[in-house]
Structure formats: structure tokens, C-alpha cells
Amino acid sequence: MRLLLNPRQIRRVLLASVLAILSAVALTGCLNDLTPQGRWSAPVSDGNFIYIGNLDGVLVRVDAVSHAFDVNWLYPYELDGVRKKPNGLGAIYGAPVVENGAVYAAGYTCAGSNCDGEVLAVSTENGEIAWNSGRATLETKLVGQVELTANDLLLVGTGALGGDREPPGYLIAFSSDPIAGRRIQWRVALDGEVLGDIAVDNATNTAYVGTAAGTLYAIDISEEDLSERVKWQYSADGAIAGNIVFHSGAIYFGDLASNFYRLNPRSQSLDWQFDAEAWVWAEGIPDEEKGTIYVSTLGGHIYALNISTGDLIWSNRIDGQIIGTPLLFDRVRNEFSQRVLAVPSGDEDVHVLNVNDGQIIGTFPTDSAVKSSPVLINDFIYIHTLDGELKWYSPSDQTLQGCIGLKDGGRCD
Amino acid sequence: MEFLGLIWDQGIMRPMINALALLYHYLFLNYGVSIIVFTVIVRVLMIPLTIRQTRQMKKLQALQPRMKAIQDKFKDKKDPESRRAQSSESMALYREAGVNPIGCLGPMVIQMPIWIGFYRAIIRTMPTTPEGMANLSASFYAWNPASADVPFSRLFLGIDLADTVSQVYLPLNFVLPVLVGASMFITTKMSSTIAMDERQQSQQRIMQWMMPVMIGVFTYQFPAGLGIYILLSNIVGVFIQYFVGGRQPIDLFGKLYLGTAETRAEAIAAKTALAERNQDNDDSDEEETTDDDSTSIHRQERTRGNRRRARNSRRRARRRRH
């Protein structure tokens, strides 16, 4: 074999190769579809502060009254002298949980199939790790919200561990107790990765978790040392990506085959199934008073269904995907209270719908996509926008009351 | 820009995503198989473009000696008048032959969005993030039954198609980029014309090496599914080019592979003519050597090299004829 290149040409080819390598690195950086972005995390409050995962995968908090950004409380961080400098996890999708003087959350980042996740228990006092035995790291995806149980377990749904293909997902139970610290109590292998939130029925010590393989698992979370924790399972028509809801003795969830289901956990059977015309990601909102459940889809549909029969009461459609869970609240105007549904749009804005007929009667203008759930805290509706801002509005007239950038705490109103 | 984005999404991305998903649905829920079948379908559908491109290239190649003659005629004339005259003579030649000098780029330009769209479609149909999965829902047509199959199974021959090639098991993580580079090299070789002057030859040689090296390096960081697609696309492309181009032999490192007796003889004759032309140019270069010493030495070295290559080429051609 003879190379038909002279030294000068070889130099050019080498130079081109170096450029190619640099371009490849740049191109890989452009593959946004492969990098989790997060920003779906809804805010939560303990009354004094509002906690939220920001766009860098850092847990931050804002004073619930003054709305001042707490620069001394954030996690994870690295020390820049004595100042805390945010050092994010990558992506936080689930809302944090505040309990027992700690904020629990999970975040992760991935390079291809190599993922690094972290389950956090951070002290509300000082922003330091609340667990005595340090941080809990897992080489996996951690998308759904962590769930605390009555028996001090912290449940986390995951993808495959350590780059393995099988099993593709787990339900992992940590001890939430600060003294016992982040020990894995047990774990159950699942047939797919977990993308949504887990529902817990503390009365029967059962956790309900859905997988991307389309299986809903009922898992025994009792303290007993069990060899088999799966109580029963149900196969849906499509992947379960959204949250599972356990309400008044029934399980509600949607799938990516465009169905919404109600299951009876006692008989482990299907009560009813509704064709939602598009993928169901956001969780269903039961309205006990009206005997209705509100179901939304990635196609922008909102349905009000009879909670007992699954029959359609009304439907409407907004622009954009509905990923965040809509908020049901009572809007008070001129001493007149009206029950409404705040539906976040993946395009822009949060729309206010009349729950009687589904008509849009107002809008929280966000100027950005919203994929998190709106939350009512201390008489304000808080909305975490996809561009990394926390905005709060008057629930009565939807006017913007304030805005703060969650990266550095700068005001944006 | 928004309008272009709409055309891109609705005219290229959505049909491709839905076609890939449909193939997945009907071909054993195997994403690797659907990529392979889709690649073959796209390549076959583009055969008319390939034929057009090949014809244009052949015509251009046939014009090369006459183009060279025009270039030689105006070699030492740098004034604007002469440049204009050269340009108009060249254009007249192209018109006479019914060739658009950039016409052969047309099919390539049409193919580019298809390749880029396919690349994006593969990545988008194998989402690894929650937002990727949510975005995918907007790409499906309402009637597409495959939308209920998401997330698609990504395993093919033990490879996770969404993994980057660098993460695939040994030795495939190194073999795949090499195969992609090698197949790209053959494709580039097959689709290039014989350049008439030394400068063009040199540029062509660089391109023939640079592209495969670049693609090979890129492949190492591409999702494995895309790597498999590029490899397969190149292989199918080689077959199509071979038959569409009239079974021309493939010249690899001075040796001819495949081809019919007739096309091989033609190729040998063309190479011989080229070598002789180079020889003539070298001789005339030598006569014109009046530069300073260093330039003269450099040029002589180059001339000796060219002469040696031409001699070797003639010898090989003679041996083949015998």
C-alpha cells in the first residue's frame, strides 16, 4: 500500500484532523437532546422559605415574605474563599420535599448512558448535608420527585444503575432519618426506568410506581424484611411517564398510549379507562367536591371526567404541551369565590380555566414556557418558568407581583 | 426564518420521524432494523438524483482537457480583459456541452437536508431525557400507531443505539469509526473525477483523505445508531454509485478493483493519458526553470517526484495491458 501524500499534504491532513476533533467535541456539545435540562421543579415552602431546584441543578431558597434570595443557603456548592459558589448537579425535575428540618430532592446529569445522580438531604438551617453519613450518589437517572413515607423511608425511582442495561429501573428506599443517614434499606428491580412521581398509601404500606415499560407496580414498603416486595402489577398500554396519584382508595395515572386509567388497588383491576387523544404526562387532579378529575395531555387537551365513571364532562385545549401538574384553587374576586384550574403551557403562560365548563377565564403571563407546576404559597401563585425565573402573581387578578432569577437571585420584575 | 423552520419541521423532520417510527412498529419493534430499512429506502429513492449527479460529473470530466487548454491559453494573461475572455470561453464550452459547472452540486445540495434530517430524526426518536421524550410527542402524526410504542427499544446486536460510539463495547467502539471512515473514503474516491492539473489533483487527494478522517473522528462521538446509519448509507451508496456510474472500477492506492474489462481499460487509458500529461508539464516546467537556487532545487525535487510517479504509472498500465 502506498500513501499518495507528500509531507506537506500529510501536515494539512493532520491539521484537518485536529480541526475535525475540535468540531466533533463542539458538535457533541450541541447535542442538547442527549443532555437533561431539568427546570421542571416546582417550588415548595415550609412557611418561612420557598425551596426550588434551579436551572443549574442547585437547590436554592427565597425568603417567603421578603422574596430575598438566600445567598448563604444553596446546595451543591464549592467554596470560593469563604463564599459558597453554586456547583450544580445537572438537572432537577421533581419538586423538593421539606420535612424534619431537611430538604429532600434528587438530581442527575448524563453523558450518553453514563449518568451521575444524587439524592439530597440538606439541612434547612445551614444548607449542609443533613445525613450523617454524607451524600447518596447513584450512577443513574433520577427524574421523579422523591417521596417520604410515614415510616421514615425516602423512596426514589431510578433508571438502570451503573451503566447496566438490566434491570432498567429500580425503586430504592433510603432511610430519611438524619442519624441513620442515607443507607439503602432495600431496592426492587423494575422492568423500565421511572420517570414520574411515586404515590404512597401509608395506610396499607404500599407504594405505587410506574415505569417506561408500561407497568404499574404496587410495592410493599413495610419495615419487615421481605424477600419479595412486589404485591401486584398492572400492564398499561403504553409507557408511564407521568406521576401516579393515589386518592380516596383509587389509583389514577396516564400513559404514552394516550390513555388515562383508574385502578382499584383492592381488586387490582381497572375501574375505567379514558382515551385522551395524546400522551398523558401531567398528573390527574381529583376534585372531591365536584366528583371530577381533571386530566391534561401533551397535546394541550384538558378534560374534566366523572371520577367514578370516567365519563367526559367537558374538554378544552390550549396551545403547548401540559407537562406540569395544573393547580386547582379558589379564585376570590370581589368577595366572590370561584374554583379554577391553573394550567401551565409548554409554549408560554399559565391559563386559568373555569372548572364548571372548561372556558379560559384568565392568564398568568409568564413570557416563557412553563413545565413545572404552579403552586399557591402565602396568597401568591408561584410559577417556575423554563428560563429559570421564579414569578409570583396575584391569584385574584393574575397580575405579576414579582420576579427573581434563580441563578443569582437578581430581580427580573 | 420561522417559515423556513416550519418547512424544515413539517416537510423533513416529521415525515422522517414518522416513517422511522412506523418501520419500528411493523419491523419486529427493532430500531436497528428500522434504521437499516429506512436507509436503504432513502438511498433508493435518491437514485434519480445520483444518476443526474453522475451524468453531470461525467460530462464535466469529458470537458476537462478542453478546459485545461483554455486555462493554458490564458496562463500568463492576468489582465481583466483576458480574465473576462477566459471566463466567457469557459462558459461557452459549458453551454455547448449542456453542462452547468455547479449543476452537479444541485443533487448534493438536495441530499444534504435529507442527511441532516435523518441524523436529527434518529437522535429525536431515541430520546434519553424527559424533555426529549416530551418533545417527541409533538412530532407524531395522530394516526401513527407507533406513538404508543415510545420509548423505542434501543438495543441492536447488543449495542444501545443511543449510546455514543465511544461507549460501545470493545472492539466495536474503534472498529465502527474505522469502517465508517473507510467506507467514506471509497465513496469519495468513486464520486471524484480525474483532475487534469497537479493543483487540482493535490486538492482532490486532500479532500479524499480529509473527509473520511473527519467523519471517522465524528463517528466516535456520535450515537451508535447514527454511526450504523452512516456506515450502511455509505455501503449502499457504493453499490448504487457502482451500478449507476456504469460499473467503473474503483481505484484504491494505485490498484483497480471491480469494473468490467471495458471500463477497466478506459480507466487505465485515462490514467496513462494523465501521467503523460503530467510528464509533459514537468518537462516544460524544467525548461522554464530560471528562478533562484532554492526555488529551483525545490522545483527539481518536485519534478523528479512527479516524473517517478508518472514512470511508475506507465509501467503499471503497460503490465496490465499485457
Side-chain angles (χ1 to χ4, degrees), chain B residues 30 56 60 64 122 151 162 187 189 235 237 257 275 314 319:
Chain B
N30 186 315
Q56 287 278 326
L60 267 178
Q64 286 278 337
I122 287 175
T187 312
K189 267 275 189 189
I235 292 170
Y257 296 91
R314 276 201 301 274
R319 250 184 264 139

Side-chain angles (χ1 to χ4, degrees), chain A residues 43-60:
Chain A
V44 292
S45 177
D46 61 356
N48 299 319
F49 291 97
I50 295 163
Y51 298 88
I52 192 165
N54 80 1
L55 71 171
D56 290 328
V58 177
L59 271 181
V60 297

Side-chain angles (χ1 to χ4, degrees), chain B residues 153-211:
Chain B
S153 167
R154 301 188 313 233
L155 282 185
F156 179 64
L157 302 175
I159 303 168
D160 186 335
L161 296 169
D163 272 355
T164 55
V165 172
S166 59
Q167 290 173 318
V168 171
Y169 55 81
L170 275 166
L172 202 64
N173 55 348
F174 293 112
V175 171
L176 191 58
V178 170
L179 287 178
V180 166
S183 59
M184 180 65 73
F185 180 73
I186 296 171
T187 312
T188 320
K189 267 275 189 189
M190 285 179 80
S191 57
S192 55
T193 55
I194 295 176
M196 292 309 285
D197 66 45
E198 206 183 325
R199 210 172 116 235
Q200 276 181 356
Q201 279 175 41
S202 165
Q203 281 171 355
Q204 212 174 56
R205 231 175 275 147
I206 288 169
M207 283 305 291
Q208 281 169 1
W209 281 97
M210 198 173 77
M211 279 297 287

Side-chain angles (χ1 to χ4, degrees), chain A residues 129-163:
Chain A
I129 284 287
W131 279 328
N132 280 350
S133 45
R135 307 177 312 151
T137 54
L138 295 166
E139 290 179 13
T140 186
K141 293 178 187 175
L142 300 167
V143 181
Q145 183 181 19
V146 297
E147 192 67 40
L148 276 175
T149 69
N151 55 352
D152 288 335
L153 286 177
L154 182 70
L155 300 178
V156 184
T158 76
L161 287 176

Side-chain angles (χ1 to χ4, degrees), chain B residues 122-165:
Chain B
I122 287 175
I123 288 181
R124 279 178 63 175
T125 44
M126 292 190 296
T128 54
T129 63
E131 42 276 271
M133 198 181 280
N135 289 341
L136 179 58
S137 80
S139 301
F140 283 119
Y141 296 130
W143 50 263
N144 194 333
S147 73
D149 299 333
V150 173
F152 298 151
S153 167
R154 301 188 313 233
L155 282 185
F156 179 64
L157 302 175
I159 303 168
D160 186 335
L161 296 169
D163 272 355
T164 55
V165 172

